[in-house]
Amino acid sequence: MSEKIKIAVLGYGNLGRGVELAAQNSKDLELTAVFSRRNPSEVKTCGAPVFSADEILSHKGKFDVLVLCGGSATDLPTQTPEFALNFNVVDSFDTHAKIPEHFAAVDAAAKKGGKVGIIAVGWDPGLFSLNRLFGESVLENGSSYTFWGKGVSQGHSDAIRRIKGVVDARQYTVPIESALERVRAGENPKLSTREKHLRECYVVAQDGADKARIEHEIKTMPNYFADYDTSVHFIDLATLKKEHGGIPHGGFVLRSGATGERGENKHLIEFSLKLDSNPEFTASVLVAYARAAYRLAQKGERGAFSVFDIAPALLSPKSADELRREIL
Amino acid sequence: MSEKIKIAVLGYGNLGRGVELAAQNSKDLELTAVFSRRNPSEVKTCGAPVFSADEILSHKGKFDVLVLCGGSATDLPTQTPEFALNFNVVDSFDTHAKIPEHFAAVDAAAKKGGKVGIIAVGWDPGLFSLNRLFGESVLENGSSYTFWGKGVSQGHSDAIRRIKGVVDARQYTVPIESALERVRAGENPKLSTREKHLRECYVVAQDGADKARIEHEIKTMPNYFADYDTSVHFIDLATLKKEHGGIPHGGFVLRSGATGERGENKHLIEFSLKLDSNPEFTASVLVAYARAAYRLAQKGERGAFSVFDIAPALLSPKSADELRREIL
């Protein structure tokens, strides 16, 4: 084995920690630096050295790929283009509607800096996107469906926490099994928002709070809950911590299509994920694409890439020969 | 839309016909020629003109990609390298053990001819291989499983037909649900051949044939049946044609893995196919990779490729911008 690929992370929350753990599972990668906006002495990693985010430019040339582990709302739109000027970067930007402008900004910066930037890596966008692409490319006469869950939505949990009288809350997005079954049966149904997912809320209320009002405010909240069948369960804080402390997620991508002279032959392609830890799995995908970023840079590639632009072999620690012999 | 990509097929059995039907579903591809070793006047296509396989070289330059629709046992080992000297080619070579030597032969020929050759395209090898690669690259700490079926195995059906006293037969490979469930539960089981699949045989015997002997010969046949729990059902020819006339297939690729400091978080990636027509679905995958072959050739690429080497965006009729905007 030749020298390991050196990666660094910027941001050490759940995702950054997940990258460290994923790199420890890998034979050909190592995490050599964590950059944080917190005081480095207060950041407790699983072994990787911690530096202040302010000094990141002084590490130029010391590692191969920077994995950006900030949020899509405010961190990544500025960070990814900024750091693509000086480093090969990978991010998990997941604001689907803003992907085109983010891609353009990263592409311009990475080309200027002579670097590779891979954006929107994870499972959705990411592995789910790939499966949407394979599905519609192979079965051109067909319909695509994406279902999410069962899993915790941080955004919806936060929205509940902002309601007066709420101490803490956890929201699960739940795919509706009967809708999934209709897709699997080849019905090609048109499904409304309400027909695809349920929202289950576990809420800790303050002592004496008006639970009926809280439940009403949740169920009628525009964008977040009003278009869904939503259930609200009041529980105590100890139960919330004990039974709802994880960050599971997952979902399904389905392509239902037909071939034959009269579309008489039906086909179903289904991809699904069941994840105990959404951030640790997302981090594992980021690490595989960090490997690809390094290899693309070694080949002289420059600019922005998405998962669509990357030959799958680049994700594997195995050589092309090994892959053909062992798993093709 | 610019001019369509012109494809041709060599061999017009179930697979070649499937390529014609798949191309008809596509906006950016057209099938412009069928080459057959049969008398062209006897080959009835769904519209594409038919030529003798002997005159294929005289069509050089008239189409963009040749899709080779022969068999892996005797046709493709010679055909794919031979035609890669003069055409961009795609094949569905599926003898897993011989993929490395086939790849090497096609690579040498395609480089010599200045062409692109994509080998081992379909669903296994093909989409299943891709999912094995994604699974083990993302969850490095884990186990991979492939199950096939429920579906018709032509090789096993043929093996039964060779038994004395058998008029016709159909063999289904059936994944064992309880084994699948153990994988999905994260048990990472070691599964023997017998624990993964059943073999169900529907057999039409000659009048007066010794059914007990036929059943015994099937169940004890080395390599094909002896290592499996096999059931044998004798039916009449009319029932076989009515209820077992299709060529369904499918299967499952699973990756079960763990992340976290002590592997405490379990993850399951599952990909599955349920196909009414194995050859028509395989043909649909071939057509998507024919599109990729054309684009690789346009970019100046040369030599052999497998599905591992091809950026997914090349499979889609959509532009990179459209893909990022619509399905990333």
Side-chain angles (χ1 to χ4, degrees):
Chain A
M1 176 65 68
S2 53
E3 214 178 329
K4 289 188 178 186
I5 301 167
K6 293 181 176 64
I7 63 175
V9 305
L10 174 59
Y12 196 77
N14 286 329
L15 192 60
R17 190 160 178 284
V19 169
E20 181 175 25
L21 293 169
Q24 288 176 349
N25 275 333
S26 177
K27 286 169 296 199
D28 65 336
L29 283 157
E30 59 183 337
L31 183 70
T32 60
V34 167
F35 297 96
S36 173
R37 284 176 294 200
R38 287 178 278 163
N39 183 334
S41 66
E42 288 167 13
V43 177
K44 177 103 187 71
T45 68
C46 302
V50 185
F51 305 95
S52 166
D54 296 335
E55 58 170 294
I56 189 166
L57 277 180
S58 71
H59 288 252
K60 189 170 176 175
K62 292 187 185 168
F63 55 84
D64 301 304
V65 183
L66 178 64
V67 183
L68 298 166
C69 295
S72 294
T74 56
D75 298 327
L76 300 177
T78 55
Q79 280 180 355
T80 316
E82 178 187 342
F83 291 109
L85 283 168
N86 288 291
F87 302 101
N88 301 310
V89 294
V90 180
D91 81 17
S92 62
F93 185 78
D94 66 359
T95 311
H96 290 262
K98 294 187 177 172
I99 282 175
E101 67 185 88
H102 187 60
F103 185 91
V106 175
D107 193 50
K111 282 184 175 147
K112 192 171 169 192
K115 300 294 177 187
V116 166
I118 310 182
I119 66 147
V121 169
W123 59 274
D124 197 355
L127 300 184
F128 272 24
S129 320
L130 285 169
N131 278 278
R132 286 187 285 264
L133 190 156
F134 288 127
E136 69 174 41
S137 300
V138 167
L139 290 174
E140 292 196 63
N141 176 23
S143 304
S144 296
Y145 299 86
T146 301
F147 290 80
W148 296 274
K150 182 178 177 174
V152 172
S153 164
Q154 302 287 5
H156 289 77
S157 301
D158 290 343
I160 298 171
R161 285 188 203 103
R162 287 191 292 266
I163 293 173
K164 186 165 168 273
V166 170
V167 174
D168 202 352
R170 201 75 81 253
Q171 195 270 183
Y172 294 94
T173 305
V174 184
I176 295 177
E177 190 62 30
S178 59
L180 266 167
E181 285 306 323
R182 290 181 61 198
V183 173
R184 289 184 184 127
E187 287 184 33
N188 288 345
K190 293 252 181 252
L191 296 168
S192 66
T193 297
R194 191 178 299 274
E195 287 172 315
K196 288 182 71 184
H197 298 94
L198 297 171
R199 297 205 176 276
E200 275 179 15
C201 312
Y202 293 84
V203 182
V204 181
Q206 284 170 353
D207 282 349
D210 180 349
K211 291 181 178 172
R213 175 193 51 82
I214 291 172
E215 180 166 343
H216 181 76
E217 282 194 37
I218 294 171
K219 289 186 171 177
T220 57
M221 195 185 296
N223 303 320
Y224 285 85
F225 294 99
D227 297 334
Y228 297 85
D229 288 335
T230 300
S231 63
V232 177
H233 311 273
F234 288 97
I235 58 177
D236 61 36
L237 191 58
T239 305
L240 186 86
K241 287 190 189 304
K242 180 162 166 262
E243 295 177 10
H244 304 281
I247 319 176
H249 220 312
F252 304 81
V253 175
L254 304 105
R255 179 73 177 181
S256 170
T259 62
E261 272 184 88
R262 298 165 306 282
E264 67 273 23
N265 290 316
K266 310 294 184 192
H267 307 283
L268 181 71
I269 308 175
E270 179 167 346
F271 179 79
S272 68
L273 295 173
K274 287 192 182 57
L275 313 174
D276 275 359
S277 167
N278 184 353
E280 286 182 10
F281 185 81
T282 300
S284 298
V285 184
L286 281 166
V287 166
Y289 279 92
R291 181 181 289 122
Y294 169 76
R295 291 172 171 174
L296 288 169
Q298 291 290 102
K299 292 203 290 181
E301 299 277 359
R302 303 291 179 250
F305 296 79
S306 81
V307 295
F308 294 156
D309 309 311
I310 292 172
L314 298 177
L315 305 176
S316 173
K318 293 180 178 169
S319 72
D321 277 346
E322 285 174 305
L323 289 172
R324 282 193 293 271
R325 201 167 55 236
E326 295 175 13
I327 64 169
L328 184 59
Chain B
M1 176 64 65
S2 53
E3 215 178 327
K4 290 189 176 184
I5 301 166
K6 293 182 176 64
I7 63 175
V9 305
L10 175 59
Y12 195 78
N14 286 329
L15 192 60
R17 189 159 179 284
V19 169
E20 180 175 27
L21 293 169
Q24 288 176 350
N25 274 334
S26 177
K27 286 169 298 202
D28 65 337
L29 283 157
E30 58 183 337
L31 182 70
T32 61
V34 167
F35 297 95
S36 173
R37 282 176 294 200
R38 288 178 278 163
N39 183 334
S41 66
E42 288 167 14
V43 178
K44 177 105 187 68
T45 68
C46 302
V50 185
F51 305 94
S52 165
D54 295 334
E55 57 171 297
I56 190 164
L57 277 180
S58 71
H59 289 253
K60 189 170 175 174
K62 292 187 185 168
F63 56 84
D64 301 303
V65 183
L66 179 64
V67 183
L68 298 166
C69 295
S72 294
T74 56
D75 298 327
L76 300 177
T78 55
Q79 280 181 353
T80 315
E82 178 187 342
F83 291 109
L85 282 168
N86 288 291
F87 303 100
N88 300 310
V89 295
V90 180
D91 80 18
S92 63
F93 185 79
D94 66 359
T95 310
H96 290 263
K98 294 187 176 171
I99 282 175
E101 68 185 87
H102 187 59
F103 186 91
V106 176
D107 192 51
K111 281 183 175 147
K112 190 170 170 192
K115 301 294 177 186
V116 166
I118 309 181
I119 66 146
V121 169
W123 59 273
D124 197 355
L127 300 183
F128 272 24
S129 320
L130 285 170
N131 277 279
R132 287 188 285 263
L133 189 155
F134 288 128
E136 68 174 40
S137 300
V138 167
L139 290 174
E140 292 195 64
N141 176 22
S143 304
S144 296
Y145 298 87
T146 300
F147 290 81
W148 296 273
K150 182 178 177 174
V152 172
S153 165
Q154 302 287 5
H156 289 77
S157 300
D158 290 343
I160 298 172
R161 285 188 204 104
R162 287 192 292 265
I163 293 173
K164 185 164 169 274
V166 171
V167 174
D168 202 353
R170 201 75 81 251
Q171 194 271 181
Y172 295 94
T173 305
V174 184
I176 295 178
E177 190 63 30
S178 59
L180 267 167
E181 286 305 324
R182 290 181 62 197
V183 173
R184 290 184 182 126
E187 287 184 33
N188 288 346
K190 294 252 182 253
L191 295 168
S192 67
T193 297
R194 191 178 298 273
E195 288 172 314
K196 287 182 72 185
H197 297 95
L198 298 171
R199 298 207 174 275
E200 276 179 16
C201 312
Y202 293 86
V203 181
V204 180
Q206 285 171 353
D207 282 347
D210 180 350
K211 290 181 178 173
R213 175 193 49 82
I214 291 172
E215 180 165 342
H216 180 76
E217 283 194 37
I218 294 172
K219 289 186 171 178
T220 57
M221 196 185 296
N223 303 320
Y224 285 85
F225 295 100
D227 297 335
Y228 298 84
D229 288 335
T230 300
S231 63
V232 177
H233 311 275
F234 289 96
I235 58 177
D236 60 39
L237 192 58
T239 305
L240 187 87
K241 287 191 188 305
K242 182 161 164 261
E243 295 177 9
H244 305 281
I247 318 174
H249 221 311
F252 304 81
V253 175
L254 305 104
R255 179 74 177 179
S256 171
T259 63
E261 273 183 87
R262 298 165 306 282
E264 67 273 24
N265 290 315
K266 310 294 184 192
H267 307 283
L268 180 72
I269 308 176
E270 179 167 346
F271 178 79
S272 68
L273 295 173
K274 287 191 182 58
L275 312 175
D276 274 359
S277 167
N278 183 354
E280 287 182 10
F281 185 82
T282 300
S284 299
V285 183
L286 281 166
V287 166
Y289 278 92
R291 182 182 288 123
Y294 169 76
R295 291 172 172 175
L296 288 169
Q298 291 290 104
K299 292 203 291 181
E301 298 278 358
R302 302 292 179 252
F305 297 78
S306 81
V307 296
F308 294 155
D309 308 311
I310 292 171
L314 297 177
L315 305 176
S316 172
K318 293 179 178 170
S319 71
D321 276 346
E322 285 174 305
L323 290 173
R324 282 192 293 271
R325 201 167 55 235
E326 294 175 13
I327 64 168
L328 185 59

